[in-house]
Amino acid sequence: MENLKSYIQSNSQRYLDELFGLIRIPSISSQSEHKDDMVKTAQYLVDSLLKAGADKAVIMDTTGHPVVYAEKIIDPAKPTILVYGHYAVMPVDPIELWDSPPFEPEVRDGKIFARGAVDDKGQLFMQVKAFEYLVQTNQLQFNVKWMIEGEEEMGSPALAKWLPGQKELLKADLILV
């Protein structure tokens, strides 16, 4: 069984390529001209979760930007973790304050600079890759569900309307943010 450190090292370039692909999509939820980018980002996440080992990953419509739902149920009797994340990013203005294009990731001094590199695409991506590692090395010992929304940076207005009908779907023992 491959240990975590060697797994990360052997996949590091793929990880960067996949993360940069996610970051390059300008998923600015508060700007209507990025509506198609929001759907494109949701689809990118669906594809990433399926590749990571989710048994199911879908885009769910809301009154606003879509929610990505995914799951891997290894045993209904085992505990379930619900991972929350968001793919929305803040606007980039004033653009002149950026040292590099906001949606073209740049590594400087070992750090990634780009809109969404941390909040929240980077963190969310790290959780997807941790899940991938557990699945690929047969170490996953609990069920995992994902709820990834597209409006956190604008107050999640559609989520409040969407959530009440999803209690059974999102039922979990623990929520990881």
Side-chain angles (χ1 to χ4, degrees):
M1 177 173 14
E2 191 171 14
N3 73 35
L4 179 59
K5 189 173 185 177
S6 64
Y7 190 86
I8 291 170
Q9 288 172 341
S10 64
N11 289 284
S12 62
Q13 189 58 55
R14 177 176 64 88
Y15 285 175
L16 281 176
D17 293 343
E18 291 174 8
L19 173 60
F20 287 6
L22 178 61
I23 290 172
R24 284 186 177 110
I25 307 168
S27 53
I28 304 171
S29 58
S30 62
Q31 296 177 343
S32 60
E33 62 267 27
H34 290 284
K35 184 175 172 56
D36 290 343
D37 293 319
M38 300 304 291
V39 174
K40 183 177 179 182
T41 307
Q43 187 60 56
Y44 193 100
L45 289 167
V46 163
D47 296 342
S48 296
L49 287 159
L50 289 170
K51 281 192 264 183
D55 296 325
K56 172 184 179 181
V58 295
I59 294 173
M60 300 183 79
D61 291 330
T62 71
T63 57
H65 298 303
V67 166
V68 173
Y69 173 80
E71 66 182 27
K72 181 155 190 82
I73 308 299
I74 61 168
D75 180 347
K78 291 193 178 254
T80 299
I81 294 176
L82 174 64
V83 180
Y84 165 85
H86 69 88
Y87 59 91
V89 299
M90 294 293 288
V92 297
D93 294 325
I95 192 76
E96 62 274 4
L97 296 180
W98 285 83
D99 292 331
S100 55
F103 294 104
E104 186 51 48
E106 186 176 290
V107 178
R108 287 183 250 144
D109 297 320
K111 298 177 181 91
I112 300 169
F113 289 83
R115 177 59 88 215
V118 177
D119 180 14
D120 185 47
K121 291 178 178 181
Q123 176 182 324
L124 177 61
F125 184 81
M126 178 180 59
Q127 293 165 334
V128 171
K129 293 306 161 187
F131 169 74
E132 174 189 300
Y133 170 74
L134 292 173
V135 171
Q136 293 301 317
T137 59
N138 295 312
Q139 295 183 67
L140 188 66
Q141 298 180 23
F142 45 83
N143 304 307
V144 181
K145 295 179 179 181
W146 301 79
M147 189 206 68
I148 308 167
E149 62 144 321
E151 297 184 346
E152 190 273 346
E153 297 294 2
M154 52 188 270
S156 305
L159 194 61
K161 297 173 190 166
W162 181 82
L163 278 173
Q166 308 304 329
K167 285 184 180 183
E168 192 58 37
L169 183 71
L170 301 176
K171 187 176 178 182
D173 299 289
L174 177 86
I175 298 175
L176 174 64
V177 177

